[in-house]
Each structure stands twice: as C-alpha cells, then as structure tokens.
Amino acid sequence: MIKRLFISFSGGETSAFMAQWLLANRADRYDEIACLFANTGQENEETLKFVQQCDEAFGLGVVWVEADIDPEQRDKGGFRIVDFDKASRSGEPFEQIIKAYGIPNPDWLHCTRELKTRPMTAYLRSIGWESGSYDTAIGIRPDEIDRIDPKATGKRFLYPLVTDVEMTKPRINRYWSEQSFRLQLKGYEGNCAACWKKSTRKLLTIMQEHPERFDFTDRMERLYGHIHPSGHGDRVFFREHMSTQDLRAIADGGGFAPAIDDAQIYEDQLDFGFDLDASSGCSESCEIDFSEAA
C-alpha cells in the first residue's frame, strides 16, 4: 500500500517548522508527500513571502491553492493552483465565498472550511488521494493541546509537534530567531490581515497600527451584509456583533492596553501567568479542522 503524507502549511512559523522537520526526519516513512498552502486573498504579504522563503530554503515543494467557487453553484466549488506571483492579494477568493455563504463570524464558521479545507482536499482528490488514503500532519503545539481532535487516530490526523518533537511557542520562536529569515509579523498580527477569530485586544491593536488591513472587511460588510442576515440584522465580522466601523471607533478612542508580541517571547523569558486574552482559535495562524472536509 502506498504511504502518503499531507502536510498542511498554514503560512505561520509553527507549521513551517513542522513542515521542514517532517521532511528532514520522516520523509523516509512515506512514498508520497504533499505540502499545501491555501491562500485566502487576505493573507498578509509577509505571510506570502515567508511561504516562498520556506519553500526555497527547505525544498518543501509547496503547492499553492485557492478556492474557486461560483456563488450561484457553490456546491461545485473547487480550487485553482497559483504561486507567489499569481496569488490573489485583494481578497478575491474570500469575496466569492462571502457572495455564496455570507460574511463569516463567530456564529457562521464557514471561512476556514471553504477557503482552506475544501480547496486543499479537492486538490488531493485531483491527484488521486482519496479520503482515508493518507496521513494529515497539522501544526498544533502542546500549548494548544485543547485543539487536538479527540478522534485523530481514526481520521489519521498527526500532531508531530506534540508526539514527536515537543515544540511550544517559545521554542518555535527560538528556532526561528536562529535562522537567516523568519516571518516578519508580530505574533498578534497572524497570517490573515483582519481575522475575526483574534481577540478584540489584538484586533484593536492591529487597527491602530494598520487600519488599512480592515478595508476589506469594511467593504464586505457594506456590500454583502444583507446575505443570509443574522438575528441582529445585517451580518458583520466581529464578536459581539461588532462591525468594522465599531472597531475603528473603539480603536480611535484608545484607552486599552495593546496586545503583546508573543513572537518575541522565549522560554527563559516566559511568565506562566501571562494571558493573551480570549480568542476564537486564531493565535499565530489558522490551523484547519479537516473533519469538515467535503
């Protein structure tokens, strides 16, 4: 039987470490390995550059995919292959998903499923990898252990940074600080420009530092908030039914402590009482729940 490994590369430093470690230490266990990065069109430019740098430095063979969906026939959505130069940078795949499903938010959880999980699994099917025929490596760390799927073994999900080489966030930071390059983003910025899963503190901090990163969410709310409205009226992106304009007003008012750059925290500096604030699952990057794959 052919042994296959799918590496889900989110574009963050944790999954980048995982990808290079697997190729260096576990490649001999597999006949075929596929390393995929799904671009939403709202990744920070620094993320795209980092994916390209990792591919060139470690020979990952990254395949870049994007969701390709007709809002009128959303069940027939697929993927298209791009690269660093051709990758969408103005939210094109994301806008198509919003046209089809409405704005994602804590009550409507379809963005990762439609923009990452389904394009990746569709690509794998296109090369003959049917569901259940491969292992899936996911970049979750011991300090995120509550995100591990309890049915991982049956689904062939692997968490090598928990089971094979224990890598906490500070250890990941140390590794990248010793490399010739690393992701040029602060820890609270994450890969997606204005992900609604971030804590409100992180979003407000980013709003103060890079208000232009919220232009897309503002435009989507104005254009498509009426699609599948919520019980509160038009749909918006952020928790507590806050719109982009609401966040702008709070950020402009100030009076809150900014988020801390946890990409610069190392084990010898770690305060175990430190709280990064509540979020909806987005810390450094968006790791995928493949249990929702079509």
Side-chain angles (χ1 to χ4, degrees), residues 15-265:
S15 65
F17 175 87
M18 178 189 71
Q20 64 80 29
W21 188 89
L22 284 169
L23 288 180
N25 295 277
R26 296 291 184 264
D28 59 346
R29 299 185 181 184
Y30 293 93
D31 302 302
E32 299 176 2
I33 298 176
C35 182
L36 304 187
F37 167 68
N39 177 45
T40 67
Q42 275 293 286
E43 313 295 321
N44 284 311
E45 184 65 21
E46 293 85 352
T47 297
L48 304 183
K49 291 178 180 178
F50 182 64
V51 173
Q52 184 76 350
Q53 286 177 306
C54 289
D55 198 11
E56 293 171 351
F58 303 119
L60 302 179
V62 179
V63 178
W64 296 48
V65 298
E66 291 181 357
D68 184 15
I69 184 172
D70 179 350
E72 301 299 322
Q73 302 183 65
R74 64 186 192 181
D75 293 337
K76 297 181 180 180
F79 70 93
R80 67 187 191 107
I81 296 175
V82 296
D83 55 25
F84 175 78
D85 294 323
K86 295 178 182 178
S88 300
R89 286 169 164 82
S90 297
E92 296 91 333
F94 209 148
E95 184 167 358
Q96 292 303 103
I97 294 300
I98 289 172
K99 287 180 181 180
Y101 292 92
I103 289 171
N105 59 33
D107 295 321
W108 301 81
L109 307 174
H110 53 273
C111 56
T112 301
R113 181 193 71 209
E114 298 298 328
L115 289 165
K116 292 180 175 287
T117 306
R118 286 184 173 172
M120 284 180 162
T121 53
Y123 169 80
L124 293 174
R125 288 195 300 272
S126 78
I127 61 172
W129 291 29
E130 295 301 326
S131 177
S133 72
Y134 54 86
D135 294 337
T136 297
I138 303 171
I140 288 178
R141 306 182 304 265
D143 48 18
E144 305 172 302
I145 203 161
D146 58 321
R147 299 172 64 191
I148 289 180
D149 191 317
K151 299 180 180 179
T153 300
K155 296 177 181 179
R156 298 182 63 173
F157 292 173
L158 307 179
Y159 303 97
L161 303 189
V162 175
T163 59
D164 294 65
V165 51
E166 187 173 314
M167 294 296 290
T168 60
K169 178 61 174 170
R171 290 177 183 174
I172 292 291
N173 292 343
R174 180 66 67 190
Y175 171 83
W176 286 107
S177 72
E178 296 170 351
Q179 305 308 307
S180 61
F181 68 95
R182 70 178 299 184
L183 179 61
Q184 295 301 306
L185 289 170
K186 296 175 182 177
Y188 56 79
E189 291 180 283
N191 295 328
C192 189
C195 180
W196 58 264
K197 294 181 180 180
K198 297 180 186 298
S199 71
T200 301
R201 186 186 306 279
K202 292 180 181 181
L203 290 168
L204 292 174
T205 304
I206 298 168
M207 178 72 81
Q208 285 192 331
E209 295 176 346
H210 300 283
E212 74 284 353
R213 292 186 183 173
F214 292 80
D215 289 348
F216 178 79
T217 59
D218 191 16
R219 184 168 65 87
M220 294 299 100
E221 287 172 347
R222 287 187 282 106
L223 290 177
Y224 306 113
H226 65 283
I227 297 178
H228 303 303
S230 69
H232 299 279
D234 283 359
R235 257 201 245 178
V236 293
F237 277 93
F238 306 104
R239 65 175 52 83
E240 304 300 328
H241 197 66
M242 282 194 295
S243 69
T244 305
Q245 288 302 312
D246 293 331
L247 281 178
R248 287 196 196 279
I250 297 171
D252 289 346
F256 63 92
I260 294 174
D261 181 8
D262 67 335
Q264 302 303 322
I265 294 176

